[in-house]
Amino acid sequence: NAGVTQTPKFQVLKTGQSMTLQCAQDMNHNSMYWYRQDPGMGLRLIYYSASEGTTDKGEVPNGYNVSRLNKREFSLRLESAAPSQTSVYFCASSAPDWQETQYFGPGTRLLVL
Amino acid sequence: DQQVKQNSPSLSVQEGRISILNCDYTNSMFDYFLWYKKYPAEGPTFLISISSIKDKNEDGRFTVFLNKSAKHLSLHIVPSQPGDSAVYFCAASPVNTNAGKSTFGDGTTLTVKP
């Protein structure tokens, strides 16, 4: 039982390049989320997926797209990376009940030059 | 306008003493509050939560207090241990909203000295 896994752990991109951050969970959770954390700040929700086949915007969705490939996997895509997207990205999952605990992955550290 | 504020970026306490981490919020629609703990190079982990129908929730060494009239909550750790050294995030979510859509504070870095 690995919980929530994220790949890659670290990535360097040049401005304008694209990439996809991968996330998978093995806890049979319906809901999945993508956050970013900038230095000295809390987590901000980028996108979430309440269930397979649905996705919704969070607080900071601009510049990102997501795909809920199946119940296990939720990917985050940067089509044209910008230096402002330099951050640490966390994926999380939870059961559908609104007070259910979230489980976070270890994060992907992204540097955009 | 930041809706969840942790006004102390850092806190240092001696091992065995009490650690008190504070959090203020402005949105009166928030009714479910969570604390997460984060070690370097790891994702946050859930620590403890409290619903607005309560004013206190306890789990071992960790107790969260909620003062709704003051829009203030605090996390007490007694006794503090060196392994508690981490960043602590306060988060809040509105009525009947998925807790995954919580608003996070900026975090407080706790250092527990042996």
Side-chain angles (χ1 to χ4, degrees), chain B residues 41-110:
Chain B
E42 295 184 10
T45 55
F46 170 76
L47 189 58
I48 192 169
S49 64
I50 188 166
S51 168
S52 61
I53 61 174
K54 293 184 173 182
D55 54 16
K56 176 183 174 181
N57 190 24
E58 194 171 355
D59 184 2
R61 295 185 298 113
F62 302 91
T63 303
V64 57
F65 295 91
L66 175 63
N67 182 333
K68 291 185 289 293
S69 61
K71 295 190 176 67
H72 176 83
L73 63 154
S74 60
L75 175 68
H76 292 210
I77 307 174
V78 184
S80 301
Q81 300 174 352
D84 296 329
S85 297
V87 179
Y88 289 79
F89 291 101
C90 168
S93 65
V95 176
N96 290 334
T97 299
N98 191 302
K101 297 171 67 177
S102 298
T103 300
F104 283 77
D106 289 343
T108 296
T109 300
L110 173 66

Side-chain angles (χ1 to χ4, degrees), chain A residues 8-26:
Chain A
K9 286 186 169 50
F10 178 71
Q11 184 73 46
V12 180
L13 290 179
K14 294 181 180 178
T15 297
Q17 287 185 318
S18 62
M19 80 162 293
T20 300
L21 282 65
Q22 306 286 354
C23 174
Q25 52 92 10
D26 61 3

Side-chain angles (χ1 to χ4, degrees), chain A residues 6-68:
Chain A
Q6 293 183 234
T7 55
K9 286 186 169 50
F10 178 71
Q11 184 73 46
V12 180
L13 290 179
K14 294 181 180 178
T15 297
Q17 287 185 318
S18 62
M19 80 162 293
T20 300
L21 282 65
Q22 306 286 354
C23 174
Q25 52 92 10
D26 61 3
M27 294 173 283
N28 202 35
H29 285 161
N30 285 338
S31 302
M32 297 185 74
Y33 317 84
W34 277 105
Y35 294 87
R36 61 177 287 174
Q37 186 195 8
D38 299 320
M41 296 182 68
L43 284 78
R44 291 185 293 169
L45 184 63
I46 304 171
Y47 270 94
Y48 68 99
S49 171
S51 61
E52 186 179 352
T54 68
T55 60
D56 283 289
K57 295 179 180 179
E59 181 186 353
V60 289
N62 291 345
Y64 305 95
N65 285 301
V66 290
S67 295
R68 184 72 183 268

